[in-house]
Amino acid sequence: MEKTSKKKLFEKLWSQKYLQLMVIPGIIWMFIFNYIPMTGIVIAFKDYKVTRTMWEADWAGLEHFVEFFTDPKFFNIMTNTLGISLLKLVIGFPLPIIFAILLNEIKNARYKRSIQTISYLPHFISWVVLGGLLITWLSETGMINEVLVNFGILDEPISFLADPKYFWGLTLISDTWKELGWSAIIYLAAISGIDQQMYEAASIDGATKVQKIWHITIPAIKGTIAVMFILAVAGMLNSNFDQIFLLGNVLNADASQVIDTYVYEMGLRSGRYSYATAIGLFKSVIALILLLIANFTTKKLQGRSLF
């Protein structure tokens, strides 16, 4: 039976030989740029200096990990990282799903395409450009303050990026605005694959639009939702470095310093490469654990998983 199974696998691969050849460059690229650099992880367990190779550096064991866990900033960094990520997961994750479902209900093709185009556009704006715009808009003399003051919502202008209490909300709103339309694409693609006869049969039975969405659309795309949720949970410790690095400053540092910015500060600014590598390795291990937990939970609840 095992020989027959191997024979069938070989025959299948041979029948797909041209497709398999197209995959080889991608595998080579991934090996060179993703797997070979992983040898640098050894730096996390050594006292690495740029004047010596990482193999010549003295072993430090778990010294850098202990230093990070006992760092006075550790609690604040983890609070900010998890707080911002949880906000984006709890609020930012469902919004593209809702947006895709609502967009699918629009029957006017021209109006639908217009909304899609408008919602996609912010995704193509670099965070460097968008960060500069947000800093200008959110200043005391910026457009947002002028609108809020003129409408009587505020009595006087507020320097939003100078006050830590506004930072988490600003990251959530700006990230959602930028990525909402783009994130909805995969759900729109899943919805477009639903058999339209199911909707027609539901209409004959007298189902309302809400009932069609609840009993047809959502169950049909729950597999896609499950996979995207697993990936979102696995990336919880990735707080979008570009966004936070550009919007963060000394005044809002209590709310804006996350693991990624701290690694940048320790590694590139302070030259503490071993310490920064140890923090990055810690983040990767936690991300792997979150991925396994999310995958296991989703598999048990929905019967869908990545592996």
Side-chain angles (χ1 to χ4, degrees), residues 9-22:
L9 177 62
F10 178 78
E11 290 176 351
K12 185 176 181 180
L13 290 174
W14 180 254
S15 66
Q16 299 174 345
K17 55 183 178 295
Y18 298 113
L19 291 174
Q20 299 298 335
L21 287 173
M22 293 174 66

Side-chain angles (χ1 to χ4, degrees), residues 22-31:
M22 293 174 66
V23 174
I24 291 176
I27 295 174
I28 294 172
W29 179 89
M30 183 174 290
F31 180 75

Side-chain angles (χ1 to χ4, degrees), residues 70-89:
T70 56
D71 192 315
K73 295 182 179 179
F74 176 77
F75 180 75
N76 182 251
I77 291 170
M78 292 304 297
T79 300
N80 292 334
T81 303
L82 293 174
I84 293 172
S85 298
L86 280 172
L87 273 177
K88 291 181 178 180
L89 180 66

